[in-house]
Each structure stands twice: as C-alpha cells, then as structure tokens.
Amino acid sequence: MYEDDRFGDTVTDNPAEIPRQGGRAAARKALKTRRKKASRGKRILKWTAVGTASAVLVTAGGFYVYLKILDSNIKTGDLHSGGVGPNTVAEHAGPNGQLPINVLVIGSDSRNNAEDVSLGGSQSSVGGAPHADVEMLVHISADRTNASITSIPRDTFVHGFACGGKTLPFDRITDTLAHGPGCVLDTWESVTGVHIDNWVMLDFSGVVKMADAIGGVQVRACKNVYDYYVYRDAQGVRHEEGSHLELPGGPHTIYGIQALEWLRTRHAFGDGTDPGRTAAQHQYLNSMIRKFKSAGTLLNPAKLNSLAVAATTSVKTSPGLGSIEAMSGLALEFNKVPSNRVTTTTIPFSHMTEPGYTNPNNWVPIFNDQTKQLFQMIANDIPLDKNGAAPSASASPSPTATPVAVDKAGIALTVENASATVGRGKAMAEHLVSLGFSQAQRSTKPVTGTTELTYPTADKAQAEAVAAALGLTPGTLKASASATGLTLKIGTEWPNGDDYRSTLPKQGTLPTGTDAQNAQDDSGSCMPVAPGHTWTSSTPPVVPQPAGYRQYTTP
C-alpha cells in the first residue's frame, strides 16, 4: 500500500487487502478499476507536462517572432557618408573595461510623406531636401555614472565634411542632412573631434508617436505663449511661419502633436532665434528623463512595449542600433545614470557678422579654446557636472588604448612647438629619444594651434605607441592619407610637462558661454517667452491654421 500524492488516494496492488464486497471476483474487479484510475492519472500528468512545456516553447517562440517583427520595422542607413568618415579615434575604456557611448540624435523636418506633411505647418519645403532641425550628441560615460546631451543650433555655420566625396561649402550644419544622416555624423566628428558610435533619426511623425508612447511630458512656459507668424514678402506672397504652439503659462503635460510643436518652436522662445528652441528641447528632454526615472518606465513591460513599438516604427538608425535588442540595451545603459548627473548643454556661439550672413538666426561656433574645451571634455570622458565625486589621480583619463608592440627606434617622428614656451620642441624631442624613439627630432617651422599627433593612416599602431608614452588622449590623434611620417605638434594648452593628461580640464569646468542645464535641478524652470508671442486677455488670440494641418487632440 502506498500514498498517491497526485490524487490523495490510498492504493494497493494486493487483492487480499481490498475489502471483500462480493467475493474474489468483486475484489479483482475493484483492483482492475483502481489500476485503470492510476494509469489514467499517469497519462493526465504526462500530457499536462507536455502541454506546459509546449506552452513555454510557444510563448518563447512567439516572443522571439515578435522581436523579429519589431526588428523588421527598423530602417537603417550607413554610419558614414560614402562608408568613410573622418577617422576619429575611439575613447578609452573605463575601469571596468566598458567604453563610453556616443550617439548622435537627429530630428529631420522631412515632408516627403503625407503624415509628415500634415504635421509640418509650413508647406514650403514639401518634397525638398530634409534639414536636421535637431542635432544632439548623447554621451554616456564609461563608468555609467554621468551623461551629457550637447546641442549645436541648426543654423550654425560650419565647414562640412567631404561627404560621399563631395566637398561641402561653409554652410549651416542643418543642410548636411541633404547628403544623408551619415554626413551629419561625419560633420560632427570633423568639427568636434569626438568619435561617434551611432546615429538615430526621427521625423515629425516619429516625434508624435514617441511622445504618446511615453505618456506625455511636463513642460513649463513662463507666460502664455503662441508661435504663429504671418507676413508678406516683397512680391506680396503671404507666408505663415511658426510651430503653431498655443499654451497657457505654467506647467502642462504635452502629448503627440503638441509635443512636436513645443520642440519646433523657435520664434516664441528666448530671443526668438534658435538657441531658444534648443533650450526648450533640453527642458523637454530633462523632464522626460525624470519621468523615466520616477515612473520606472524601462522596468514596466507594458510601457516598455509601447515604447519599443513606437521606436521601431518611428526612427531610422545606423546599423549598430538596428535591432530592438541594441535599442533597449542603449536605453538600459542610459537608465543607469542618475538624473542629477545628466547635463544638457549648447556649444558656445555668436552671431555671424560677415556680409550676407547678418540674419539673426545665423550663428557661428566660437571655435576657440572655449568650444575646444567642451569637446575635449566629451572626447576624454570628463564629467560636465560637479555632482559626482571628483576622480582620484589614479582615475585620470587613460591615454589611447594600450598599443601593440612596435619598434620605437624605427618610427620617424617630427616634433613641432606651437606652445609659448621657448625650447619646448627641443626638450620634448630629447624626452622622446630617452623613451626609445631614437628618430625623434624637432622642427623649427613656425606653427600654431592645439596639440595633435598626425600620422599616415597605415601607421596607427606607431601613433598609439607615441600616444601611450606621452599620455596623449584619443582626441589628439589625427590620421592623414597625405602624411609621410608622424608629426607631434605641442599646442598652446601644453606649455610644460611630459604627460598630456595633466593639461585636461577638471570635472565640471564648463567653458564660458556654455548654456548648461541639469536634468534634476531644472525641474522648476520655465521657458522665457519672446515679445510679441504672448497674450494677457482671458483667451488666446485666434490663430488660423494652414489647410490640411492636423489639430492637436489629447490621446
């Protein structure tokens, strides 16, 4: 006799132990019935186990298929224009072997489909080349303790990279998108010297979908604000400009189309030019980051699924982010950074004064030591904020990755002196000889600028050996197809010492003219409203909308 734990019955195989109710025949019949029940119980367990296993496999398989469906939604494009970029050097790894992450976020004003046309307000650029209205570099530190989001205003004039073999003129950075998102990335790398891993691009409809998937973002205008402007040109043609944003002052949670209007508003914020729009975009991003943190969005399966669906159908990316796994991985890495360690900033810039460029919306970066300092901090993974513990001396930025073994004595190396220190070139050449670079020799050619090590593309290993010996950081290395040997230019920022890392900016030392906000500290801030774009009556002014423009409705 034994206990059958499956059914709670007592079972016996001994006929003598079965109650005699009707003799031996009845006993055999009762035993047969018991055995049938036990056998049926075994079959039930067997098929239950098979069914459970099948359900698990189907669920796992369904999830796999679902992920593949999401992946198939994602559109990708080349990382670089023409497949070849400025050949920047990747940043150094952190203490745990992780690399910093740099992603360029591009907002396109493309109106090449019906949905984007209905969201675009002005129809003057329908079917034309797209512009990069938003350009932000997201940097996540190697140790995942801090991050930054750096903007260049769309109308900033730069020397574009030679995208796809075409030499671009000195023009607004927004126009580089006409040659593809890879060209925007290449221009950023060329201008900043920062190695960028991937790009992500959203159009108008993508912003709307993402804003609704997030569940709305809280923003705040200092006054009642509307962004609508009508004028007639010299030929009498009527033009409508502005984002069509209409919002009372104070805090509001905005969704979909209204979020797009907020992000596109330029005339109504600040002084009515692009830096005001950039500041409003930063307020939106900081608020969104706080919402992610407080609501646990990335840990909520339902919300995460909504974001995944919206993201995969709303964005175009470089191949490195062309899967839901890569996108979610990036989001989780960013989620490790506390909100009080996220800095949003805009590069120092000034109005252009050259003849023909005096439009107040035209800007030129202040490419002096101020802007270079900001890019140098990003390239060397130096936190832009002061909220974290100051790194110890042993945790100072590492030089370029440990090089492979090379013959130091076989490296042809010229040393130029661009510093203000007399004899600096001679002293550095002698120092390099003492380190085994016996062919190092100084040049007497007058040069200017900051420190850089130029090398032939094929001699990267040799350049890394010199960089490791002097503590040169990745941003100082410049590959050149026309170089015939290695040339070390000692810049104005390195007047003395043998280790370049001693010249780097300290944590939180943002340059003068940098407009910076903290994702946690600006929770109570509001956007200043430009004159002529507010109202004081009980109702806002009547703002007619162009034909076909989609009105905002709360989802």
Side-chain angles (χ1 to χ4, degrees), residues 48-70:
T48 299
V50 170
T52 301
S54 299
V56 170
L57 290 173
V58 168
T59 301
F63 183 65
Y64 175 79
V65 171
Y66 181 61
L67 288 180
K68 290 304 176 184
I69 292 173
L70 290 178

Side-chain angles (χ1 to χ4, degrees), residues 150-153 155-159 170 191-192 275 346-354 362-376 450 510-515:
T150 303
S151 295
I152 295 181
D155 290 330
T156 302
F157 276 70
V158 298
H159 292 281
F170 179 66
V191 167
T192 67
T346 304
I347 67 167
F349 50 83
S350 63
H351 284 288
M352 292 190 67
T353 57
E354 289 80 355
N362 291 340
W363 302 92
V364 63
I366 304 176
F367 283 127
N368 54 18
D369 290 344
Q370 293 180 12
T371 304
K372 289 178 180 177
Q373 178 180 329
L374 176 61
F375 296 150
Q376 191 180 44
T450 55
L510 285 170
T512 303
T514 304
D515 178 24

